[in-house]
């Protein structure tokens, strides 16, 4: 088999066989296929697309390019959840203990912040003492005892994806439905869960700007999961503003605690309940969506969800004192506010821009090995639909130095779009996609 022929076949709109796709992924992972040929092939896929059969074969080949985690030692149906990249997306911190408190095992592997998006691992590491490292045996044992553990995804999971993503990033080929679907699903399949709930973001903060493309991405991922024998459900959710009020590591941990106490922001609470409902049904601990909602609500009201969070923190070496006293979390020395210049209604908030701003404050990474400041970030004081008068506070900035905040104030203000009329209310969950 020659890579030249595969590039030509895809360039001319042909369908690759499973053997050809395996050859491609194995050769690229080993370094036998050079970046220049892989780049040409990737651009051909960008324009020609892939059939569902090709996309599934590609995903499986990528999933098998490294370690495939065996979670069979964990009792029950393991359900994983994945978000396609939110800003201030605090859901995993809330969902993991909440769903576990309802009896579904949560064996979660998460990633770190990069660019404008945050990472669950960095958020958890703002808890004093918390460790995201465990041996596979400790991981399985923790989930059997507590129903929940959240650890770091190692480089050994789908290495073909790590290498390919770097190449896509510099060849303008990220925004391809089959390539995004295969990239995400290969990591999820290798991470070993039995079932999967996907939160696919739509709107201005999302990877794909057009709703039809987002829908196609959700359908493709559900189809791959189903063909691979994992029950998969996707919710397409609105991202015309960041989720909740906090963006930044320790600030989001505090927001997660408030949400587990039943006093979190409405949109974060609603999204958590919607995703949690799907997870409980797929894990077969709830009979249907109504039963699942009731169980989730009860776990929050009774305090069991918060108690589960405390257990998880202690199990992973963290000091749980911050749960009752948030001042134990890292706190930024500088706090300034950004005020509205005009009066009106907030009709959109640019999450991508605020994600970049938060990274520049020090909460995220420009490059993979940048250091993180857990204390800094933003707290939104106005959300889409808020009425504001000139001079009202839009956002609090938590910074390490006054000049960091000052340099970003104008960008933060400009991220809030203020119009003359209240915006049409939009549902948070725009569409549910499942195999049936
Ligand atoms: N997230 C991924 O993991 N891969 C992509 O290609 C895009 C988003
Ligand atoms: Ca948030």
């Amino acid at each position: 088999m020659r890579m030249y022929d595969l590039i030509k076949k895809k360039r001319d709109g042909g369908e690759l066989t499973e053997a050809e796709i395996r050859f491609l992924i194995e050769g690229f992972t080993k370094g036998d296929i050079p970046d220049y040929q892989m780049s040409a092939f990737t651009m051909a896929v960008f324009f020609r697309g892939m059939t569902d059969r090709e996309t599934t074969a590609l995903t499986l080949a990528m999933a098998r390019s490294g370690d495939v985690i065996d979670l069979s030692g964990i009792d029950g149906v393991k359900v994983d959840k994945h978000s396609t990249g939110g800003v201030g997306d605090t859901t995993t911190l809330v969902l993991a203990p909440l769903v576990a408190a309802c009896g579904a095992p949560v064996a979660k592997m998460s990633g770190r912040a990069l660019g404008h998006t945050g990472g669950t691992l960095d958020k958890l590491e703002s808890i004093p003492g918390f460790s995201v490292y465990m041996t596979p045996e400790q991981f399985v044992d923790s989930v059997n005892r507590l129903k929940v553990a959240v650890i770091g995804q190692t480089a050994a999971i789908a290495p073909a994806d790590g290498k390919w993503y770097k190449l896509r990033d510099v060849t303008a080929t990220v925004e391809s439905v089959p390539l995004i679907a295969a990239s995400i699903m290969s990591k999820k399949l290798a991470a070993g869960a039995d079932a999967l709930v996907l939160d696919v973001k739509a709107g201005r903060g999302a990877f794909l700007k057009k709703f039809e493309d987002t829908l196609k991405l959700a359908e493709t991922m559900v189809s791959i999961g189903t063909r691979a024998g994992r029950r998969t459900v996707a919710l397409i959710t609105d991202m015309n503003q960041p989720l909740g009020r906090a963006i930044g590591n320790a600030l989001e941990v505090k927001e997660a605690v408030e949400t587990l106490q039943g006093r979190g922001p409405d949109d974060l609470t609603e999204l958590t309940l919607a995703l949690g409902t799907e997870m409980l049904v797929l894990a077969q601990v709830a009979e249907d969506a109504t039963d699942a909602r009731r169980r989730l609500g009860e776990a929050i009201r009774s305090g069991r969800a918060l108690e589960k969070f405390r257990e998880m923190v202690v199990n992973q070496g963290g000091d749980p004192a911050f749960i009752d006293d948030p001042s134990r979390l890292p706190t930024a020395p500088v706090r300034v506010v950004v005020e509205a210049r005009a009066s009106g209604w907030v009709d959109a908030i640019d999450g991508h821009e605020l994600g970049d701003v938060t990274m520049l404050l020090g909460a995220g990474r420009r490059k993979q090995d940048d250091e993180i400041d857990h204390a800094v970030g933003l707290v939104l004081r106005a959300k889409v639909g808020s009425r504001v008068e000139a001079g009202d506070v839009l956002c609090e900035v938590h910074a390490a130095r006054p000049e960091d905040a000052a340099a970003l104030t104008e960008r933060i203000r400009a991220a809030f779009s203020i119009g003359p009329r209240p915006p049409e209310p939009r549902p948070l969950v725009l569409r549910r996609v499942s195999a049936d």
Side-chain angles (χ1 to χ4, degrees):
M1 226 178 267
R2 291 194 317 158
M3 184 59 185
Y4 176 89
D5 298 320
L6 304 193
I7 297 170
K8 187 159 174 291
K9 190 172 183 185
K10 185 45 75 184
R11 183 199 70 188
D12 296 338
E15 182 181 34
L16 302 194
T17 66
E18 216 181 294
E20 287 169 334
I21 287 173
R22 270 204 311 271
F23 168 83
L24 174 87
I25 292 303
E26 283 167 16
F28 178 61
T29 310
K30 276 193 287 191
D32 296 347
I33 294 173
D35 283 0
Y36 52 84
Q37 284 191 309
M38 194 63 175
S39 303
F41 175 79
T42 309
M43 191 56 88
V45 171
F46 182 89
F47 284 111
R48 290 294 193 173
M50 280 189 150
T51 63
D52 275 2
R53 248 200 359 237
E54 283 178 303
T55 312
T56 301
L58 181 66
T59 308
L60 292 175
M62 288 164 72
R64 289 175 190 141
S65 67
D67 291 354
V68 175
I69 307 294
D70 179 7
L71 298 179
S72 62
I74 297 173
D75 311 325
V77 181
K78 279 75 70 184
V79 186
D80 200 356
K81 167 252 167 189
H82 181 81
S83 149
T84 63
V87 169
D89 187 337
T90 317
T91 48
T92 297
L93 295 181
V94 185
L95 265 175
L98 174 59
V99 167
C102 294
V106 180
K108 183 95 189 109
M109 290 192 187
S110 286
R112 295 199 176 272
L114 194 60
H116 72 282
T117 57
T120 297
L121 296 186
D122 299 307
K123 296 173 196 178
L124 286 170
E125 281 178 347
S126 59
I127 297 170
F130 195 100
S131 167
V132 299
Y133 302 101
M134 272 188 210
T135 64
E137 296 74 29
Q138 288 171 323
F139 185 49
V140 167
D141 174 62
S142 294
V143 182
N144 275 332
R145 279 186 296 109
L146 302 181
K147 295 276 179 218
V148 59
V150 182
I151 63 168
Q153 182 193 297
T154 67
I157 298 271
D161 175 64
K163 192 171 177 196
W164 201 355
Y165 192 85
K166 285 200 191 92
L167 195 61
R168 288 166 58 208
D169 204 25
V170 295
T171 54
T173 48
V174 168
E175 302 91 339
S176 150
V177 168
L179 296 183
I180 297 174
S183 164
I184 292 172
M185 292 300 289
S186 64
K187 287 173 283 194
K188 293 287 124 184
L189 296 184
D194 304 311
L196 192 54
V197 177
L198 302 165
D199 175 10
V200 184
K201 304 290 189 187
R204 63 163 87 188
F207 265 102
L208 300 165
K209 305 299 166 200
K210 289 201 290 242
F211 186 80
E212 312 91 85
D213 292 341
T214 305
L215 180 59
K216 180 72 188 147
L217 176 63
E219 288 170 349
T220 305
M221 289 194 289
V222 168
S223 154
I224 294 169
T226 307
R227 282 163 186 258
R230 323 281 173 105
R231 292 175 67 203
T232 306
V233 173
L235 299 182
I236 299 180
T237 68
D238 183 45
M239 211 171 67
N240 278 322
Q241 62 178 335
L243 203 55
R245 292 183 178 274
I247 313 172
N249 300 294
L251 294 168
E252 288 187 52
V253 169
K254 183 163 172 267
E255 180 169 72
V257 170
E258 288 163 3
T259 306
L260 286 164
Q261 289 167 333
R263 50 194 189 92
D266 290 345
D267 57 348
L268 175 60
T269 301
E270 176 50 33
L271 183 61
T272 303
L273 292 175
L275 294 167
T277 294
E278 300 294 344
M279 290 174 78
L280 290 191
V281 172
L282 286 180
Q284 295 164 13
V285 302
E287 280 164 30
D288 54 23
T290 311
D291 182 38
R293 279 242 166 198
R294 188 186 56 71
R295 286 169 190 262
L296 294 165
E298 207 277 322
I300 291 177
R301 276 191 303 279
S302 66
R304 276 189 301 114
L306 188 65
E307 203 43 48
K308 187 53 75 182
F309 186 52
R310 195 185 305 268
E311 285 174 30
M312 176 181 115
V313 168
V314 171
N315 184 57
Q316 299 194 228
D319 176 357
F322 74 92
I323 292 176
D324 302 309
D325 177 9
S327 72
R328 302 284 195 101
L329 290 169
T331 306
V334 174
R335 199 178 293 193
V336 300
V337 296
V338 176
E339 293 162 351
R341 287 246 171 75
S343 301
W345 275 270
V346 177
D347 54 28
I349 303 174
D350 187 336
H352 196 298
E353 179 70 356
L354 293 184
D356 275 339
V357 164
T358 312
M359 175 190 72
L360 293 171
L361 284 170
R365 296 183 181 83
R366 234 170 301 206
K367 304 187 303 318
Q368 221 132 22
D369 41 13
D370 285 351
E371 290 278 330
I372 271 194
D373 183 343
H374 289 109
V376 301
L378 305 175
V379 177
L380 310 184
R381 296 264 289 268
K383 292 272 291 183
V384 168
S386 296
R387 167 77 204 177
V388 295
E389 307 303 328
D392 282 356
V393 175
L394 296 172
C395 184
E396 276 171 29
V397 186
H398 296 238
R401 298 173 307 173
E403 57 270 31
D404 296 348
L408 295 164
T409 301
E410 276 317 312
R411 283 182 66 177
I412 295 169
R413 199 186 335 265
F416 287 76
S417 148
I418 297 177
R421 278 175 297 279
E424 286 285 319
R426 290 164 62 95
L428 188 59
V429 177
L430 300 167
R431 194 75 70 89
R432 177 179 186 279
V433 180
S434 70
D436 34 72

